[in-house]
Amino acid sequence: MHYDHDPRFPEGFFWGASSAAWQVEGGVNEGGRGVSIIDINSKTKKPFADNFIAADHYHHFKEDVAFMAECGFTSYRFSLAWPRIIPASDGKVSAEGLAFYNALIDELVAHGIEPIVTLYHYDMPLWVEEELGGWKSRETIKAFERYVRVCFETFGDRVKYWLSINEQNMQIAYGDWLGVSKGCTDWFRDQWRINHIINLCHATAVNLCHELVPGGKIGPVPGMVPIYPYSCEPMDQIAAMNAEEFTEKIWNDTYAHGEYSEFVRAYWENNDIDPGIEPGDEELMKSAKIDFFAINCYRSNTAKWAPADAKPHSYDLNKTGEKGNLVFPVVPGAYQLVYNPHVEYTDWDWEIDPVSLRYLMRYMWDHYHLPMMITENGFGAHEHKDANGEIHDQYRIDFLRENIYQLGLAVEDGCEVIGYNPWSFTDLLSTGNGIEKRYGLVYVDVTDDELNEAEAAGTLPPCKRIKKDSFAWYSKLIKSNGQDWGGEITHGC
Ligand code: BG6
């Protein structure tokens, strides 16, 4: 569809940015916070910094919210750290943990910023893993239920938009990256039992939100990578569908329909997989009606058929930030991912493909007909201050402008999109490359080496905040409700 006007965004559209507790807060030994599995996982990414200090949002949150207000934010998506709220296996709720989040939420509300809160973003308390068995155990469902009940009861008077679990699909599809597969002896089968337990946690949270939060709305947060067939060769289309099923569609179908699809059931049967469904589980899943999809999307992928006798290979992510260091997966008899000759790539070999965001919105709307908000989208880069201490991130401006324009075209196409919260507001810790891989509109003036040294010395670096060029650009765009594009659109339509 071609439009003779720039896209228009609805009144009341949520403009903001996004973060996650373990990636932004730091303060891991403060406020009575317990140890989390991600504290341990992040130490495996050395020489990059772990999450001990991160962006030190724990001490800078008021300053950060003031910057958000200056930028013109109407929303901010962040996560609560379960180990800050229920730090130990005695199950006691930490008053200090609640006080921290109460103060953050109050600060946001006082500045007219809608809090959009993720309940779980990879930071399970260590006691849940060690004493209950983590995602491998059904005991964890009860612990999660208790935790989310505390969250809804404490914050539900001010927080109306809730997100259940961040990127469940990515946690399962790439189990080793975030440590979910740790301790599993047969990941091929174990992943489906773990996935089922997470689904029950999600469903529990959805129902409790509706029961406890007046006017509360809740949705899942799939990590979405739109997948194109490499060519019009028919088997490439089947390959793209297979890749889509095994990395995202299986999860989205379950969230939206409250039951497992025929596709995944057939796969389990053909592969002798028992996902551990017990009496009452399917009723619980069916009863959990989500209100919207929160969607994380940074890139697209391209799939090609992989014959049954192809040599299998797992996904080796680019862990260096130097182009060309990524190895795509090969799944014999299903698909292989390949480079797309039509798009550019970031230094981490992520496709730069704004049009895929419009495609994704159309795809999700057609399949599920539920409102959508973007909860992550953004450009990770190596960044340094120039001689004047400024950060000129024109590449990020270009990326965001093109992506938001495509999102607007999806709105024009008839999709119901309620907000855009890119990753991230300040620089924060990436999942694998510390603070070296920066996403923020606001620079945090600290390096991985400085974070490592400060942690070893027991000191706290200043972590000064410096607005990047993208801050001013984004501010103009959102204050005009998506009309002041501040530059040429190259993927227009
Ligand atoms: C998303 C995650 O998948 O991608 C975030 O929800 C993550 O936690 C973001 O930080 C970007 O990925 P990375 O690896 O560049 O940090």
Side-chain angles (χ1 to χ4, degrees):
M1 193 83 72
H2 170 80
Y3 301 102
D4 57 8
H5 56 268
D6 283 336
R8 292 158 299 204
F9 290 85
E11 280 305 309
F13 191 78
F14 289 133
W15 294 103
S18 191
S19 73
W22 74 275
Q23 292 172 277
V24 75
E25 281 178 13
V28 301
N29 286 344
E30 293 182 64
R33 178 187 181 276
V35 182
S36 158
I37 58 170
I38 201 76
D39 302 353
I40 293 160
N41 180 277
S42 79
K43 287 193 198 307
T44 65
K45 316 287 177 179
K46 293 226 171 290
F48 300 104
D50 60 36
N51 63 323
F52 194 76
I53 298 168
D56 198 21
H57 178 67
Y58 188 72
H59 297 110
H60 288 257
F61 77 91
K62 287 197 175 173
E63 182 188 351
D64 289 343
V65 174
F67 273 126
M68 290 176 203
E70 179 186 333
C71 196
F73 278 23
T74 55
S75 62
Y76 174 51
R77 180 263 183 154
F78 62 99
S79 76
L80 304 173
W82 184 358
R84 222 180 252 300
I85 292 178
I86 306 186
S89 58
D90 62 11
K92 284 198 185 126
V93 175
S94 163
E96 274 186 281
L98 296 186
F100 172 68
Y101 292 117
N102 269 324
L104 172 60
I105 291 165
D106 285 346
E107 199 70 14
L108 290 166
V109 171
H111 285 86
I113 299 170
E114 184 81 32
I116 298 173
V117 174
T118 318
L119 289 159
Y120 185 78
H121 200 127
Y122 311 159
D123 45 4
M124 176 182 282
L126 193 59
W127 65 267
V128 176
E129 174 156 294
E130 291 189 338
E131 297 182 37
L132 304 184
W135 292 130
K136 294 195 258 335
S137 157
R138 294 178 72 101
E139 284 301 301
T140 297
I141 305 166
K142 286 185 217 140
F144 188 74
E145 174 172 358
R146 166 108 201 295
Y147 158 63
V148 301
R149 181 179 286 278
V150 170
C151 297
F152 294 140
E153 285 176 347
T154 312
F155 310 120
D157 57 338
R158 289 150 292 157
V159 176
K160 301 300 172 190
Y161 287 89
W162 293 88
L163 316 180
S164 57
I165 290 171
N166 189 71
E167 298 197 1
Q168 177 182 346
N169 60 321
M170 293 298 178
Q171 293 184 67
I172 299 295
Y174 305 114
D176 58 337
W177 181 238
L178 295 156
V180 179
S181 61
K182 202 173 142 201
C184 291
T185 48
D186 182 7
W187 180 244
F188 179 74
R189 290 186 171 72
D190 294 345
Q191 61 180 292
W192 297 107
R193 299 182 82 90
I194 288 177
N195 184 56
H196 182 58
I197 288 172
I198 304 180
N199 276 332
L200 298 177
C201 288
H202 158 83
T204 301
V206 169
N207 285 345
L208 269 182
C209 176
H210 291 144
E211 184 188 322
L212 298 173
V213 180
K217 293 182 193 297
I218 185 163
V221 197
M224 294 297 295
V225 181
I227 297 172
Y228 307 131
Y230 180 73
S231 76
C232 52
E233 205 276 296
M235 286 311 284
D236 283 352
Q237 178 62 48
I238 297 297
M241 291 174 83
N242 288 341
E244 202 171 84
E245 286 280 4
F246 286 115
T247 57
E248 40 208 29
K249 190 166 180 291
I250 285 173
W251 289 267
N252 294 336
D253 285 350
T254 312
Y255 297 135
H257 305 312
E259 60 187 16
Y260 291 113
S261 65
E262 290 82 5
F263 179 89
V264 71
R265 285 180 185 277
Y267 174 76
W268 291 336
E269 202 178 311
N270 285 325
N271 289 281
D272 196 19
I273 290 168
D274 172 10
I277 301 172
E278 293 191 2
D281 290 356
E282 287 171 307
E283 289 74 11
L284 171 61
M285 287 167 60
K286 197 75 188 169
S287 66
K289 309 271 184 239
I290 59 171
D291 299 293
F292 58 84
F293 270 105
I295 293 172
N296 298 347
C297 178
Y298 294 80
R299 57 188 292 201
S300 58
N301 272 165
T302 300
K304 206 172 172 172
W305 176 244
D309 59 357
K311 198 164 168 241
H313 205 290
S314 59
Y315 207 154
D316 286 347
L317 298 170
N318 177 329
K319 294 168 189 149
T320 63
E322 281 168 36
K323 269 192 185 142
N325 275 310
L326 171 142
V327 183
F328 281 119
V330 180
V331 185
Y335 68 93
Q336 58 186 306
L337 299 183
V338 294
Y339 279 101
N340 181 344
H342 302 288
V343 303
E344 301 283 319
Y345 284 81
T346 71
D347 286 341
W348 275 265
D349 295 308
W350 288 25
E351 293 79 356
I352 302 172
D353 180 13
V355 174
S356 72
L357 196 58
R358 181 183 188 184
Y359 165 71
L360 177 63
M361 294 295 99
R362 295 262 300 261
Y363 174 100
M364 293 294 284
W365 183 247
D366 287 350
H367 279 75
Y368 307 113
H369 238 73
L370 282 164
M372 298 170 281
M373 66 166 84
I374 298 297
T375 39
E376 292 184 36
N377 174 244
F379 192 90
H382 302 283
E383 279 175 331
H384 304 281
K385 289 177 293 180
D386 71 4
N388 300 319
E390 294 170 351
I391 302 93
H392 303 297
D393 56 342
Q394 187 59 42
Y395 39 86
R396 182 168 295 105
I397 295 174
D398 294 342
F399 180 95
L400 294 175
R401 184 198 292 116
E402 298 294 332
N403 273 268
I404 299 169
Y405 200 89
Q406 293 297 320
L407 188 68
L409 290 176
V411 172
E412 293 286 342
D413 291 338
C415 303
E416 187 176 348
V417 186
I418 59 176
Y420 179 75
N421 292 277
W423 190 263
S424 52
F425 183 54
T426 61
D427 290 335
L428 40 64
L429 214 68
S430 66
T431 56
N433 293 107
I435 204 155
E436 174 62 24
K437 188 180 187 187
R438 294 178 187 265
Y439 282 94
L441 303 165
V442 174
Y443 189 79
V444 175
D445 195 6
V446 71
T447 63
D448 285 293
D449 287 348
E450 287 164 353
L451 287 169
N452 285 331
E453 282 159 22
E455 180 177 352
T459 56
L460 210 49
C463 293
K464 185 174 172 220
R465 274 59 174 148
I466 304 170
K467 290 177 263 179
K468 301 181 193 176
D469 288 357
S470 55
F471 180 102
W473 171 83
Y474 189 53
S475 180
K476 278 192 184 157
L477 182 77
I478 69 183
K479 284 177 180 167
S480 65
N481 197 30
Q483 290 307 298
D484 187 350
W485 294 97
E488 280 299 296
I489 304 292
T490 56
H491 292 83
C493 178

